[in-house]
Amino acid sequence: MSDTATRREHILVVDDDARIRQMLIRYFEGEGFRVSAASDGPAMRDCLAKAATDIILLDLVLPGGEDGLALARDIRSRSNIPIIMLTGRDDVIDRIVGLEIGADDYIAKPFHLREVLARVRSVLRRHQAPVARGDDETTENFCFDGWQLNVGRRRLLASDGSDVALTTGEFDMLCVLVKHAGRVLTRELLMDLTRSRNMEAYDRTIDAQVARLRKKIERDPKNPTLIQSVRNVGYVFSAKPTQE
């Protein structure tokens, strides 16, 4: 059996509460995951440098001058590792800011361990590419405005062939927009189609993901031509993708 087939998915828990770290370590190891833990930013970076990480459970409130939002911003500037934010704060703004930065999901404390497990598995499923099947005819490949979107391999290629890093949420959002090109999609429908209903989604989370996408695929994000706003309704993908 290959190393890939036997490899256990690696979770990094970043939380300053030792009881929560130990609880999550015991639970996820019991579910077959490999788990590392860190109490602050420096320890988190040390863990990330030592081993490949599949997903990060990141507490919002941390000691040492770097909170979870600052760490999420730092991670997202260098990596596409999925992030699930954990917080004891009941503050909508904090949740929105976390999602705007690029977190893939958000869970409020106190939480049920089975819910955390379900969220982790959901984000991992969305993030991980399926095994390539060569010239499988069912592989969806869309081209638009010089971009190439390979749905099966979860890759976005620029006109020069370079990979463009997208978060799980950004990729899902782009897929939905491209597959429904020319159709006006409400924010509520976008939440459903991108499976954002499994987290506490708000209109602004959809707007934030669209804004991040525009920065990556639009020639002028302030004057978008691909993803256009429809006032008081939602968004429409204006390009005409071709499918290969």
Side-chain angles (χ1 to χ4, degrees):
M1 186 176 294
S2 67
D3 291 341
T4 301
T6 60
R7 178 179 176 275
R8 291 189 298 163
E9 290 161 318
H10 183 206
I11 298 174
L12 174 57
V13 177
V14 184
D15 197 302
D16 63 328
D17 190 324
R19 293 171 300 175
I20 290 179
R21 292 199 304 271
Q22 289 303 314
M23 176 180 66
L24 290 170
I25 288 171
R26 287 195 300 269
Y27 182 76
F28 277 98
E29 285 184 341
E31 293 293 331
F33 291 85
R34 186 162 57 94
V35 187
S36 299
S39 60
D40 55 23
M44 180 198 76
R45 293 186 182 92
D46 186 53
C47 289
L48 290 173
K50 287 180 178 178
T53 300
D54 295 294
I55 192 167
I56 300 172
L57 298 179
L58 178 60
D59 188 27
L60 179 62
V61 181
L62 293 170
E66 287 184 301
D67 63 10
L69 294 177
L71 293 179
R73 187 180 290 108
D74 180 45
I75 293 167
R76 193 53 73 229
S77 70
R78 298 179 287 106
S79 169
N80 198 31
I81 299 172
I83 300 170
I84 296 180
M85 302 291 294
L86 305 175
T87 180
R89 294 180 183 174
D90 187 20
D91 191 329
V92 171
I93 299 301
D94 282 334
R95 300 182 185 205
I96 291 172
V97 171
L99 294 167
E100 286 177 342
I101 288 171
D104 295 273
D105 206 343
Y106 216 110
I107 303 175
K109 298 177 182 177
F111 48 71
H112 294 286
L113 288 171
R114 288 184 64 182
E115 179 190 6
V116 180
L117 175 63
R119 300 286 189 98
V120 165
R121 285 177 170 165
S122 176
V123 171
L124 285 173
R125 280 196 302 269
R126 292 161 54 196
H127 180 78
Q128 294 167 343
V131 176
R133 299 182 181 180
D135 296 327
D136 191 339
E137 293 181 355
T138 65
T139 298
E140 292 181 294
N141 197 46
F142 297 92
C143 296
F144 59 92
D145 199 41
W147 296 96
Q148 182 176 336
L149 179 68
N150 189 302
V151 178
R153 294 180 175 83
R154 296 187 70 85
R155 296 178 67 192
L156 177 65
L157 303 179
S159 57
D160 62 0
S162 60
D163 272 291
V164 177
L166 297 178
T167 67
T168 304
E170 291 165 2
F171 192 92
D172 290 344
M173 177 67 70
L174 182 58
C175 285
V176 167
L177 288 167
V178 169
K179 289 180 179 181
H180 296 82
R183 175 184 173 187
V184 177
L185 302 176
T186 65
R187 290 175 177 82
E188 183 176 18
L189 182 56
L190 284 168
M191 289 179 196
D192 288 331
L193 293 175
T194 58
R195 289 165 288 181
S196 294
R197 289 295 187 191
N198 68 350
M199 63 183 178
E200 293 188 33
Y202 307 90
D203 285 357
R204 276 194 58 187
T205 66
I206 296 298
D207 295 339
Q209 287 193 345
V210 169
R212 293 200 309 269
L213 265 179
R214 283 172 169 167
K215 290 179 181 178
K216 295 181 179 182
I217 69 172
E218 297 278 6
R219 292 184 175 88
D220 181 0
K222 293 183 179 179
N223 296 288
T225 59
L226 297 176
I227 306 174
Q228 296 188 326
S229 301
V230 180
R231 189 173 181 179
N232 298 326
V233 180
Y235 297 95
V236 60
F237 193 77
S238 298
K240 296 181 178 179
T242 58
Q243 188 169 359
E244 298 182 353

